[in-house]
Amino acid sequence: MPVKFSVLGDFSLQALKANKMRSFLTMLGIIIGVAAVILMMAIGQGAQDRVLAQINSLGSNLLMVLPGAAGQYVRGSGGSVNTMTLQDAQAVAGLPGVAYSAPIVRGSGLVTYQDQTWTTSIEGTTPEVVNISALQMAQGRFFGQSDVQSIAPVAVLGQTVYQNLYPPGTNPVGSQIRVHGITFRVIGLLQSLGASSGGQDRDDIIYIPVTTAQIRLLGVSNQSINAMQVQVRNKDEMDDVQAEITSLLRRRHRLAANQDNDFNIRNMAQIQSAAENVTSLLTIFLAGVAAISLIVGGIGVMNIMLVSVTERTREIGVRMAIGASKKDVLNQFLLEAVLLSLAGSFFGIVAGMAGARVFAFFVHWPAPVSLFSILLAVGFSIVIGVFFGYYPARRAAGLNPAEALSYE
Amino acid sequence: MSGPPLIQCQELTKVYPLKGVAVHALRGVDLEIARGEMAAIMGASGSGKSTLMNIIGCMDRQTSGRYHLDGVDVSTLKESELASLRNKKLGFVFQRYNLLPRASALYNVELPLFYAGLSGAEVTARALAALERVGLRDFARHRPNQMSGGQQQRVAIARAMVNNPLVILADEPTGALDTASSAEIMGIFQQMHSEQGVTVVIVTHEPDIAVYCQRKITMRDGSIAGDEPVIHRTIFNRGA
């Protein structure tokens, strides 16, 4: 008659209690492994979330239209090919699938306020950029369409520019700054946007009307622009709108059928999925690190189990001599291994979650613990714990009692 | 006493394959031990006495020959039936006590009852009674590593007796004990034998121990070389 489960549970608990050190060391391997997997995957997930959040803050349904054929454009030298004009931007804005479209004319320059100077980037654009880039005012207002039409010398400051030019607490609205020797009136201050995913400071910028930039500041000929940002009404129509813009610009630029586009369109959704790929690689890498910790923990478990096998083989011999069947012995050892693995997993989950909290607190990254990582870690560690706990017992129970008792 | 002998061995042999060389531990042993006997199996080390003991105790199987315990041919039984047999009909005492070192004396004595499928208050009561019979009721909560060798062996005897077996098998039970403790242990075996009527088989290589028994079986080179009654039997006198 096999031993009752409750009695078996008592055997297991007695055995675990009787060997506190061994139980603890066995559990420690599992605790470290589980905690490492949970923590590493949380950190990886945190990094992924953070990068994606930043890309999303750029707007996920954005198209960036750049002058020059695809491949001709080199980052940083944008606008060297003057094939796109303000009129192109206005025409694109009239397409049905387009919510907003803003032209961009880029420059950089030394900005002076009283005796303070700061070199920053200057972006000439239209009020639509407020919607596209989700800009929020801290003070004052953004320039309007009338400012664009009247080529008004007005400027809206980013936080970094403001902090480097003005004493803390000053209201910049109404003050005058000089850029390339031209006086601008400050009409607004933006709220901080933080760094971009590329590490760029998105607050180190001054927005001015696109016409002002072209005519007064940069002296750009033939109304050319450096880029055009297009926000599509519906994310599902990205490809359609991209095709519409392509055919519109080809018509406007009078390109023959055999000619290549003299512009190229970048889809932010594509960039987003590329970034997603990169960060999920990071998560996989961290999971790999964690898996190694889990294996190292598993080897620790195995060592302890193998070291204790002599002692336990004799114990198995004793138990069989006084009436335990092979099945009783195996059930007991299986239960012991499961209990140890479960307890180790529990403490490992607690440690991993606490570690994720501590990490999030000190590094200011969210490190969300996922259910998947918990299940993965616990599942894996139970397999390891049970295998290494059960395997020596299986071997020992295969001996007859006389052999097990004389095992050295 | 009527019926077949409690222990009946016929032409038992046991061969261990050891590094390609066959070691003949038993070479045809015929032996009968009746219910209620107290017998010693003597012999030098390597004479096969422990091997015989393991087969009698259903802890090992013979290579050939037949062994009946209480009229049952043991070789026909399954592993789980053998386990049950060891639990109910046999009680073991070992030279090195073989208690669970970190469990209490009481728990050690309770173990066979758990394997018998019992639980609850009855188990504790019976284990305490068994400890009482070996004079260790006050040590129930002590662990073996807090006890002397003689005390540990008494716990082991209580464990062997707790399920009221037909036979107690003791393999060099005094091998690790001093003379005074050895005498005391033999006294307990004599007490179990006379009071409970249990059959006792003791393996030993010491003639001083064998004289506590009624019968002395001598083994040499895997065969029985002598089988005679003990004429001047030593009776342990508690309080002497």
Side-chain angles (χ1 to χ4, degrees), chain A residues 6 8 20 76 159-160 177 223 244 247 282 336 349 370 399:
Chain A
S6 58
L8 215 57
K20 290 196 184 68
Q159 279 288 337
T160 303
I177 55 171
Q223 301 227 313
E244 282 172 31
S247 65
L282 175 73
E336 272 181 41
I349 292 169
S370 68
L399 303 172

Side-chain angles (χ1 to χ4, degrees), chain A residues 1 3-4 7 11 14 18-19 311 314-315 318-326 328 332 400-402 405, chain B residues 54 59-60 79-80 83-84 86-87 92 94 96 98 100-103 107 111-112 114-119 159:
Chain A
M1 179 169 44
V3 172
K4 272 185 272 178
V7 174
F11 286 173
Q14 283 278 350
N19 292 286
E311 187 190 345
R314 183 160 300 133
E315 180 192 329
V318 172
R319 286 178 182 273
M320 291 201 291
I322 62 175
S325 67
K326 219 166 264 190
D328 290 333
Q332 178 194 337
N400 66 39
L405 275 171
Chain B
N54 283 336
M59 304 230 286
D60 204 349
E79 192 274 335
S80 60
S84 169
R86 289 193 294 266
N87 182 254
F92 293 94
F94 304 96
R96 279 183 290 179
N98 280 336
L100 302 184
R102 296 182 187 86
Y107 187 75
L111 265 185
F114 287 132
Y115 283 116
L118 303 173
S119 56
R159 181 179 67 184

Side-chain angles (χ1 to χ4, degrees), chain A residues 18-228:
Chain A
N19 292 286
K20 290 196 184 68
M21 197 47 151
R22 184 177 69 207
S23 305
F24 172 72
L25 288 175
T26 308
M27 251 175 12
L28 192 64
I30 290 175
I31 290 172
I32 291 173
V34 169
V37 169
I38 290 175
L39 182 59
M40 291 296 171
M41 289 185 71
I43 291 173
Q45 187 65 48
Q48 191 164 355
D49 289 353
R50 201 176 142 99
V51 169
L52 291 184
Q54 275 168 348
I55 291 172
N56 284 338
S57 77
L58 292 176
S60 58
N61 50 350
L62 279 190
L63 294 174
M64 183 74 86
V65 187
L66 298 163
Q72 209 177 327
Y73 173 86
V74 180
R75 195 186 166 121
S77 71
S80 60
V81 193
N82 300 329
T83 57
M84 217 158 59
T85 64
L86 203 49
Q87 284 72 34
D88 287 337
Q90 281 156 0
V92 167
L95 288 173
V98 172
Y100 303 104
S101 158
I104 296 171
V105 174
R106 282 203 199 90
S108 67
L110 189 69
V111 183
T112 312
Y113 169 71
Q114 293 178 349
D115 56 349
Q116 300 291 314
T117 59
W118 181 249
T119 303
T120 186
S121 47
I122 297 155
E123 197 164 299
T125 184
T126 56
E128 280 77 14
V129 78
V130 174
N131 302 92
I132 293 170
S133 298
L135 302 179
Q136 304 222 310
M137 303 309 294
Q139 275 167 328
R141 63 175 180 91
F142 207 82
F143 52 78
Q145 205 58 50
S146 58
D147 296 309
V148 175
Q149 269 154 16
S150 62
I151 320 174
V154 293
V156 176
L157 307 183
Q159 279 288 337
T160 303
V161 177
Y162 165 69
Q163 281 158 16
N164 282 286
L165 290 178
Y166 291 81
T170 337
N171 184 351
V173 175
S175 66
Q176 297 205 323
I177 55 171
R178 289 176 72 79
V179 185
H180 285 306
I182 298 162
T183 303
F184 282 78
R185 188 161 53 86
V186 176
I187 58 167
L189 172 64
L190 294 168
Q191 284 183 10
S192 176
L193 284 171
S196 74
S197 53
Q200 259 175 308
D201 180 1
R202 291 192 289 156
D203 297 320
D204 192 3
I205 196 166
I206 292 178
Y207 287 100
I208 60 176
V210 62
T211 48
T212 315
Q214 285 175 323
I215 297 160
R216 296 204 184 201
L217 197 61
L218 305 172
V220 182
S221 61
N222 63 25
Q223 301 227 313
S224 74
I225 56 175
N226 297 126
M228 187 194 314

Side-chain angles (χ1 to χ4, degrees), chain A residues 22 25-30 293-310 312 340-341 381 383-393 395:
Chain A
R22 184 177 69 207
L25 288 175
T26 308
M27 251 175 12
L28 192 64
I30 290 175
S293 355
L294 204 54
I295 289 168
V296 170
I299 290 171
V301 172
M302 178 176 71
N303 280 341
I304 292 154
M305 288 300 188
L306 288 179
V307 165
S308 69
V309 77
T310 308
R312 301 228 73 181
L340 268 187
S341 303
S381 69
V383 168
I384 286 179
V386 168
F387 178 76
F388 289 127
Y390 189 59
Y391 175 71
R395 252 188 15 193

